[in-house]
Amino acid sequence: MKEKQIAHLIKKHPLSDVWNSHPEALSNNYEEIVEPPPIEKIIGEMFAIGQFYYYVLNLANSTLSNHHPDLLPMHGLKKLPKHLKEIIELIHPDDIEFVMEAERMTIEKIQEIGWEHQLNLKCSYCFRMKTGKGNYEMFHHQAIQTFKDENGRLHQSVNIHTNIHHITQKNPYTVLVVGTGERNDFHQMQYGNNKNIDLPPVELTKREIEILSLFALGNSAKQISTFLEISYHTITTHRRNIFEKTNCTKISELIKKALEWGLI
């Protein structure tokens, strides 16, 4: 009876084969009940410059919980999805192959960095999703891992989806794995031989990309100075250099370009 109940919870979806190819990375402890993570703290560390929602994902059986209520109106749904399959069905069919490859790329990059750092790494990329208006719009996806099982395999994550269609409709088809907390990893990976990405006029440093991301979150130069524990003058100097390198004059323009370059 128990096996039938577990089987009922596990629904096949396009990412199943990708995840199942790395059994050492993902939990298969279907029955373990995990407390929801500190959502507000996590959201505060994630890029969201538009209407967004989040949900908690149990990777063992792909079930969802703790949904943000805006998920319903943003996608025109009448009830909250209980399984990841329902979210994937909202993705534009032409973007599914990219999403599968993006997941494979993130898993392999985290494996290269080391599974022990998994809880301090965030993954992000973009794809189109069906909206409540009946059309497809560009969304920015972020996933941050929040809990491992007793065997060190990932059991829980928080996914956040932000509608960025008002900023850009161009998908750079890049995949990012970046550090959170005490880690400062920054890995930008390109999907296939995609030529849809425009490159910045010059290369930005890791510190400049970090500061750019913090500005994108709506932080002021003073707030970034406090957060990074460096002087306000240093932050404003970095900001001036970033504007000069990217040929931008305001933050909104910079964020648009950064999304299209696959930097955030």
Side-chain angles (χ1 to χ4, degrees):
M1 180 67 176
K2 186 179 294 186
E3 290 183 358
K4 289 183 179 181
Q5 291 175 338
I6 291 175
H8 177 70
L9 288 173
I10 306 172
K11 295 182 180 179
K12 185 79 170 177
H13 56 75
L15 300 183
S16 299
D17 291 339
V18 178
W19 292 351
N20 290 339
S21 66
H22 291 273
E24 75 283 5
L26 302 177
S27 173
N28 59 5
N29 190 346
Y30 307 111
E31 297 180 307
E32 183 173 4
I33 299 175
V34 180
E35 291 295 317
I39 298 286
E40 294 305 321
K41 179 179 183 299
I42 291 170
I43 296 303
E45 297 175 348
M46 301 179 91
F47 168 78
I49 190 161
Q51 190 175 14
F52 71 93
Y53 63 84
Y54 56 76
Y55 53 84
V56 176
L57 170 62
N58 180 328
L59 283 104
N61 55 22
S62 296
T63 54
L64 311 180
S65 64
N66 299 89
H67 313 68
H68 187 284
D70 282 356
L71 189 158
L72 293 176
M74 287 177 68
H75 291 301
L77 302 178
K78 294 182 178 179
K79 60 180 182 179
L80 292 170
K82 297 181 179 179
H83 196 276
L84 185 61
K85 185 176 185 293
E86 298 170 71
I87 294 290
I88 293 175
E89 288 172 347
L90 296 169
I91 298 175
H92 194 295
D94 292 345
D95 287 350
I96 293 294
E97 182 178 345
F98 165 65
V99 170
M100 293 174 64
E101 181 64 9
E103 285 295 303
R104 184 193 64 77
M105 293 164 72
T106 60
I107 291 174
E108 291 182 356
K109 177 55 67 175
I110 293 173
Q111 182 179 31
E112 178 185 317
I113 297 170
W115 299 124
E116 66 272 20
H117 303 300
Q118 199 166 14
L119 297 184
N120 289 307
L121 296 169
K122 179 183 73 172
C123 310
S124 62
Y125 49 90
C126 298
F127 47 76
R128 291 166 292 174
M129 300 188 79
K130 193 170 186 178
T131 72
K133 294 178 285 187
N135 61 339
Y136 286 95
E137 298 187 353
M138 193 65 67
F139 278 71
H140 184 264
H141 161 82
Q142 295 171 94
I144 188 165
Q145 292 76 32
T146 52
F147 186 82
K148 288 186 174 185
D149 66 16
E150 67 277 6
N151 296 312
R153 293 175 295 195
L154 187 62
H155 188 89
Q156 180 194 76
S157 71
V158 172
N159 288 358
I160 177 171
H161 292 169
T162 304
N163 189 323
I164 60 170
H165 199 76
H166 62 293
I167 301 174
T168 182
Q169 295 87 55
K170 189 173 185 179
N171 191 345
Y173 292 105
T174 57
V175 181
L176 293 184
V177 175
V178 300
T180 61
E182 298 178 354
R183 294 195 62 84
N184 61 357
D185 306 74
F186 182 84
H187 303 277
Q188 183 190 50
M189 297 169 285
Q190 193 65 50
Y191 172 59
N193 296 316
N194 170 57
K195 299 186 177 3
N196 196 37
I197 183 172
D198 294 320
L199 297 176
V202 292
E203 185 175 352
L204 300 180
T205 67
K206 284 189 176 183
R207 177 62 92 181
E208 287 170 341
I209 292 172
E210 180 180 30
I211 290 172
L212 188 162
S213 299
L214 289 169
F215 275 122
L217 285 169
N219 295 289
S220 66
K222 185 175 181 180
Q223 289 172 319
I224 296 173
S225 170
T226 301
F227 179 75
L228 295 180
E229 297 181 341
I230 56 181
S231 73
Y232 173 81
H233 174 72
T234 300
I235 296 299
T236 56
T237 298
H238 277 304
R239 179 174 60 188
R240 184 175 63 252
N241 291 339
I242 293 169
F243 279 149
E244 289 178 355
K245 285 183 176 182
T246 59
N247 195 28
C248 291
T249 58
K250 53 186 178 181
I251 292 293
S252 58
E253 181 185 13
L254 177 62
I255 292 171
K256 179 179 186 296
K257 288 186 176 181
L259 282 167
E260 293 176 348
W261 293 333
L263 294 176
I264 55 178

